[in-house]
Amino acid sequence: MKRTTLSLFAGAAALAAVTGFAAVSAPGDTGAETAEPAARLPVERTSLLCPAPSASDLAETTYTSFTPVTEGAEKKGSATLTAAADGAAAEAGKGGEDAGSGKDGEEGKDGNDGKDGKPVLRPGAPGTPVTGTASGADAPALTGTAEGSHAPGWTVQQTTEVAAGTGRGLLGLNCTAPDTEFWFPGASTASGRTDYVHLTNPDDSAAVVDIELYGKDGVLKSTVGEGVTVPPGGGESLLLSTLTDVEQTDVTVHVNVRSGRLGAAVQALDDKTGGDWLTAAADPAGELVVPGIPADATAVRLMLFTPGGSDADLKVRLASPSGAITPAGHETVHVKAGMTTGVDLGEVTRGEAGSLVLTPTSGSVPVVAAVRVVRGKGGEQESAFIPASDPVGARATAAENRAKGTTLSVTAPDRTAKVEVTASAGTEGGTTATKTFTIEGGTTQNVEVPVPAGLKGTYALTVETVSGGPVYAARTLTGEDEDVASFTVQPLPDDRGTVSVPKAEQNLSVLQQPPA
């Protein structure tokens, strides 16, 4: 369990202690009321961190911000994205009523690259996405804060197009919330790969972090990754091959924050197959889902790691449109404790939508996983990474979708589920559209994404679970040049727009009872 989750529990306990007691009775009291279920309320503040997008002079980056309309949210709020190194600018962006929403609360579109400390973009009212841009190699990492009406489900997509060179193609990620621990199976220190771990500190005090690397034989010894200091409000990027002199095809990166909190992501660049961002995998678990493998994938490589002291044996299934199938020759995979395992699955999807479902063969052992996907042939190949994901939950959000080149993949690994998909208004015009889909248990479907009527610009998608079992989703963006297989895939876990708040009421009589 992550420390942030523990903090949430501790905060809820403190809230109950301060405001009263929920369904608590005195000793000997037989008339205690049954506790009511916790209410889900919109969050009031959200922080996001975006890594520096590229070291290429040819890089063109688009940031798209979107907050879905959330029932019960505050009526007023603000949000802004500024250069990570300029904390003063971030504070300035918070001032005033609707300070981050442009003039008179209208949509804002700055087009600023953030290098001068000014906001890259000023998000508009919830329900309408807004874009900003940056160019070149020196675009900085960004920190963002949303409050009030802008906070529930706030999502920022960072998409970079690099025309040529190492890591060419389409690189995308959802900017992440700060945390204290991250796992990245799928990195590499092999010849031909240039992988960086990017760290962004949103706070006004330094953060200290340990970076551990695990290869096929276990830990890759290095003292360089111990006690790395990330300055207040700043960002750092470290080349993995400088942390160890061992070349490994498959490496798991573990980022463990000793003090403070960070955003972390790995930028994986390949000399031959382009590159993309590898975002953190879902927390170690016995059962995992890797959603949204493109139908036209020409190569899929599965990477796994178990951080505990026990080996793991997993069944490998592909949830396809017609049901769950077992990849020939890869019915199970054995993962040795503390070692990274890589498995080539080839063209496992065979022209159909697919998601990998990993389950234990016997005893459950926590594992992290990701896949590296290649599309295209010869010199037109490009690669992307899909980590194991958490489910959609109540609602998931994907910003920056296009009229062409957007694919939404939805998986129901166990029971049949119904989902509602809503397309927002466009950044420059259009009206919302909604469709409902039923996903049969054990299948993956590439659903027909609704497109806003009169769309101008790009739009956002929200996926909501209506009924049935848990669902997982991923969105694939493809480049506008149809002759090149450029693409990027983002899993869509719950956007954490709401939080569970236990019902509490004041009951001072509990404090007045005599000792038993």
Side-chain angles (χ1 to χ4, degrees), residues 70-93:
T70 302
E71 184 178 353
E74 295 184 17
K75 295 182 179 180
K76 296 182 179 180
S78 64
T80 190
L81 278 173
T82 56
D86 195 333
E91 287 300 317

Side-chain angles (χ1 to χ4, degrees), residues 284-285 304-314 333-339 341 362-368:
L304 308 106
F305 178 80
T306 176
S310 302
D311 293 1
D313 289 287
L314 300 169
V333 59
H334 181 72
V335 186
K336 294 182 179 180
M339 303 179 188
T341 298
S362 55
S364 179
V365 176
V367 176
V368 292

